[in-house]
Amino acid sequence: MREKLAVTIADAARAARERLGLTQVEVAGLMELSAIVYNRLERARMLPSVPTLVRLCETLQVSPAELLGFTRPAKRGKIKPSNVDPPSLHQLMNLARKLDETQRQALITMAKTLLR
């Protein structure tokens, strides 16, 4: 039972991470885990604690039901609804959250310049 659950969580986490265009190291950093621990989670070598599972859901933007295998993730190749942001935008938002206010203002100025 534990092994099957570990595999289910690992597969769902990997699929969600890839949908967001993030690396294992980036997800580990966002979750404040070591990259080694996150890698073990994605290889089904460990089960996350409940608090880690919650952080995993928040970071990967998936429901606990999806991570636990109660729902199926969207199949690859299907057309995404127009209201779904591309993975690069998720990656940019995750990086921007790590910046302090001054750095975010500089990023906003750069984005406005790029839009001209």
Side-chain angles (χ1 to χ4, degrees):
M1 173 78 171
R2 290 178 60 87
E3 289 176 14
K4 183 178 178 185
L5 182 58
V7 168
T8 299
I9 292 170
D11 290 346
R14 184 179 311 103
R17 175 181 59 77
E18 289 174 352
R19 274 195 309 267
L20 294 174
L22 298 171
T23 67
Q24 287 185 355
V25 172
E26 289 170 327
V27 172
L30 292 168
M31 291 182 62
E32 299 178 355
L33 287 176
S34 77
I36 293 169
V37 170
Y38 183 78
N39 179 271
R40 289 186 68 215
L41 191 150
E42 247 193 49
R43 288 185 299 125
R45 301 289 185 237
M46 65 173 280
L47 280 172
S49 65
V50 172
T52 300
L53 185 68
V54 170
R55 286 196 329 259
L56 186 61
C57 290
E58 291 170 345
T59 303
L60 297 177
Q61 302 171 10
V62 295
S63 69
E66 184 176 330
L67 274 185
L68 296 172
F70 296 124
T71 63
R72 295 182 185 203
K75 295 197 184 231
R76 290 178 182 239
K78 282 191 171 183
I79 297 173
K80 294 180 180 179
S82 60
N83 62 343
V84 175
D85 294 328
S88 58
L89 185 56
H90 290 284
Q91 188 175 16
L92 182 60
M93 290 297 296
N94 287 328
L95 291 171
R97 285 186 184 100
K98 294 179 182 181
L99 302 175
D100 63 32
E101 185 60 29
T102 303
Q103 292 169 322
R104 277 194 298 273
Q105 289 302 320
L107 183 60
I108 290 168
T109 301
M110 286 178 22
K112 286 179 179 178
T113 301
L114 288 171
L115 289 172
R116 290 186 195 151

